[in-house]
Amino acid sequence: MHTPTVDSPPHRPSTTRTARVAAAFAAPSVLLLVLVALSWEPLMSLDESIANTTHGWAVDERGVTHAFRILTDWVWDPVTMRLLAAAAAVWLVWRHREWWLALWLAVTCAVGTAMQQALKAAVGRERPAWPDPVDSAHYAAYPSGHAMTATVVLGLLVWLLHRYGAGPVLIRTALAVAAVSVVGVGATRIWLGVHWASDVVAGWLLGGLTIALAMLTYEKWLAPTRT
């Protein structure tokens, strides 16, 4: 019986599944972008209804609002997320000499940031305006930078843990923390009245699309060269 040697070239991974995932994120991302750009009335009405309801809660529940401001400004802030990504890149280089993978991680995060800023400038959507605001934010509303950045960074970090053989308990814990953080940061942005609900959904979808495209790039060009 023939036994393959350890020096056999690595099998080139199939990109079909990842391409399908990318398409699954791309389709609703484009649709939502078009609906927002056209100010489609049913979506605008839904956004306004959600915003009015959550703003009333935010004004009444000051303790919850204060806690959400701490979470959104410090724990789930895009700067915090980028620092996590930078720490992961340093770890890849220092512990594993993974220069190319560290660069891939950094470029993916940078591309995600560039994408969200370009869309903000192109769409130019106004944020909700309140006579009694509980928080403030800069730049245009669409998409939510907080939601998109958290999705990209935490999704990539969970994948890195899986790739480097983290145990099932750690993986499940990381997935739970990532899920709570991604959903939580979106909820805080709506609660604080600085984003419409569709801004947050767009951030999640575009974050998933960014990860899928990054994985497609990895499988196509980086993975086949590794043993």
Side-chain angles (χ1 to χ4, degrees), residues 91-163:
W91 174 77
L92 285 169
V93 172
W94 177 56
R95 287 290 301 272
H96 300 281
R97 299 295 186 266
E98 290 275 20
W99 293 92
W100 283 111
L101 193 56
L103 180 61
W104 171 84
L105 176 63
V107 168
T108 299
C109 293
V111 167
T113 299
M115 184 190 301
Q116 67 180 248
Q117 292 303 321
L119 284 172
K120 283 179 181 289
V123 178
R125 190 184 196 186
E126 296 291 333
R127 293 179 184 269
W130 309 104
D132 51 349
V134 297
D135 201 359
S136 62
H138 304 291
Y139 308 112
Y142 186 94
S144 168
H146 280 68
M148 184 173 176
T149 303
T151 302
V152 171
V153 172
L154 296 176
L156 292 175
L157 293 184
V158 169
W159 177 80
L160 284 172
L161 285 174
H162 181 269
R163 183 179 182 279

Side-chain angles (χ1 to χ4, degrees), residues 4-93:
T5 66
V6 294
D7 295 326
S8 299
H11 175 65
R12 185 184 182 88
S14 172
T15 59
T16 303
R17 179 183 299 178
T18 308
R20 288 174 179 168
V21 172
F25 278 109
S29 296
V30 172
L31 176 60
L32 185 55
L33 173 61
V34 171
L35 294 179
V36 170
L38 295 177
S39 298
W40 190 53
E41 182 57 32
L43 178 61
M44 300 300 103
S45 297
L46 178 60
D47 274 342
E48 290 180 9
S49 176
I50 294 172
N52 289 331
T53 300
T54 53
H55 181 68
W57 295 342
V59 171
D60 293 339
E61 301 293 339
R62 291 289 180 172
V64 175
T65 299
H66 180 67
F68 279 4
R69 290 190 64 178
I70 294 174
L71 288 170
T72 199
D73 291 339
W74 295 98
V75 180
W76 296 325
D77 183 72
V79 173
T80 304
M81 295 293 108
R82 290 171 191 137
L83 288 174
L84 280 175
V90 170
W91 174 77
L92 285 169
V93 172

